[in-house]
Amino acid sequence: MNQPPVQLDPIDSPFPVPWNWVLTTQTEAPAASLHTYRTSALLSPDGHYIAYSRLQMQVGTDISRSRVSSALFVENLQTRELRTVSPTSPLSNNPFAAQGESDLAGSIAIAIPIAWSETGDRLLCREFESRFAASHASDYAVVWEQFSGNVYTLAPSFVNYTNAVLLGWSQQYPDRALFRCCNLGDPEVHYCTVDLRGQTHTATEDQPLTFGLIKTHLWSGPQASSRAS
């Protein structure tokens, strides 16, 4: 019986990015080709919204010229209004924007929705950022507020780390994002929470919270590839 492939993640996140697709595309796709991937949708607890991402990979002539980027969408199932959620982390850049795209060859910036708040008024997304053939890789938390439309991009500060892994909402402080932080090769791990003001707090005996239902659609997964212009 065929078994589904094990989902790899570069920093061992509980919410893996489609890393198998990235590695396969980089290895097997011809140079200068363009490939896209659609994630499964995350349904809010009240059933009114779904969130999903579309990834785009530009395969370069060598790995240092390849690039992975993404666009994150929230859809109102009642009105069919579609919103784009735009992180402000260092490597984030909407690949589907009409203009303003900078040269980010070799960069990896993947945003995926991971959890709604219990009432569905906030969406928590993982923004994974790294570069091909680089050891430094880390997560940002991207929070979208339903009523205000505000978007917050958060990361631990005043903490020494090379890898920060977003775990979900904090159980002790449900309006904060919970992270696991460590340095590459160091077994010592630190936990912290980050609030919407960007302030970092040490976390002890905390646990992650996640809400929402994953909905797999026919369009989920790799899409047809095309040649870059």
Side-chain angles (χ1 to χ4, degrees):
M1 183 169 59
N2 293 330
Q3 296 292 328
V6 176
Q7 291 298 312
L8 303 175
D9 189 86
I11 54 175
D12 194 27
S13 167
F15 309 98
V17 296
W19 197 240
N20 295 13
W21 170 76
V22 172
L23 297 179
T24 300
T25 303
Q26 176 61 41
T27 302
E28 300 179 357
S33 58
L34 188 66
H35 303 262
T36 56
Y37 184 102
R38 296 277 293 271
T39 67
S40 298
L42 185 65
L43 181 67
S44 62
D46 59 11
H48 293 166
Y49 290 86
I50 58 170
Y52 57 90
S53 300
R54 184 181 178 193
L55 279 57
Q56 180 172 280
M57 182 169 183
Q58 174 73 56
V59 180
T61 52
D62 60 73
I63 193 171
S64 66
R65 304 300 301 175
S66 293
R67 180 186 171 212
V68 183
S69 51
S70 62
L72 181 64
F73 302 100
V74 177
E75 181 179 350
N76 186 321
L77 296 178
Q78 297 175 315
T79 66
R80 294 302 175 183
E81 178 187 10
L82 189 65
R83 301 185 185 183
T84 302
V85 178
S86 300
T88 56
S89 44
L91 299 180
S92 61
N93 187 45
N94 185 345
F96 311 105
Q99 56 185 348
E101 187 171 339
S102 59
D103 182 12
L104 292 171
S107 66
I108 304 167
I110 301 176
I112 58 172
I114 66 168
W116 288 93
S117 60
E118 187 173 11
T119 59
D121 62 333
R122 288 177 178 172
L123 173 68
L124 179 63
C125 305
R126 176 193 182 198
E127 169 81 8
F128 167 75
E129 296 197 354
S130 184
R131 288 189 177 272
F132 284 106
S135 58
H136 184 85
S138 201
D139 283 348
Y140 292 81
V142 180
V143 178
W144 173 75
E145 289 185 329
Q146 177 193 144
F147 298 111
S148 69
N150 292 337
V151 179
Y152 305 87
T153 303
L154 313 172
S157 57
F158 307 108
V159 179
N160 182 27
Y161 66 89
T162 58
N163 307 105
V165 181
L166 178 62
L167 302 177
W169 298 109
S170 162
Q171 184 180 62
Q172 295 181 354
Y173 303 94
D175 58 343
R176 300 180 188 176
L178 178 64
F179 287 87
R180 179 181 74 231
C181 301
C182 66
N183 286 296
L184 188 65
D186 188 345
E188 187 174 5
V189 176
H190 303 279
Y191 293 87
C192 62
T193 61
V194 182
D195 62 31
L196 295 185
R197 296 172 295 174
Q199 296 184 349
T200 300
H201 312 264
T202 300
T204 56
E205 299 182 357
D206 206 341
Q207 296 292 326
L209 284 178
T210 57
F211 300 94
L213 178 65
I214 296 175
K215 306 285 287 186
T216 301
H217 294 279
L218 292 176
W219 46 251
S220 301
Q223 309 296 302
S225 62
S226 61
R227 299 295 297 183
S229 57

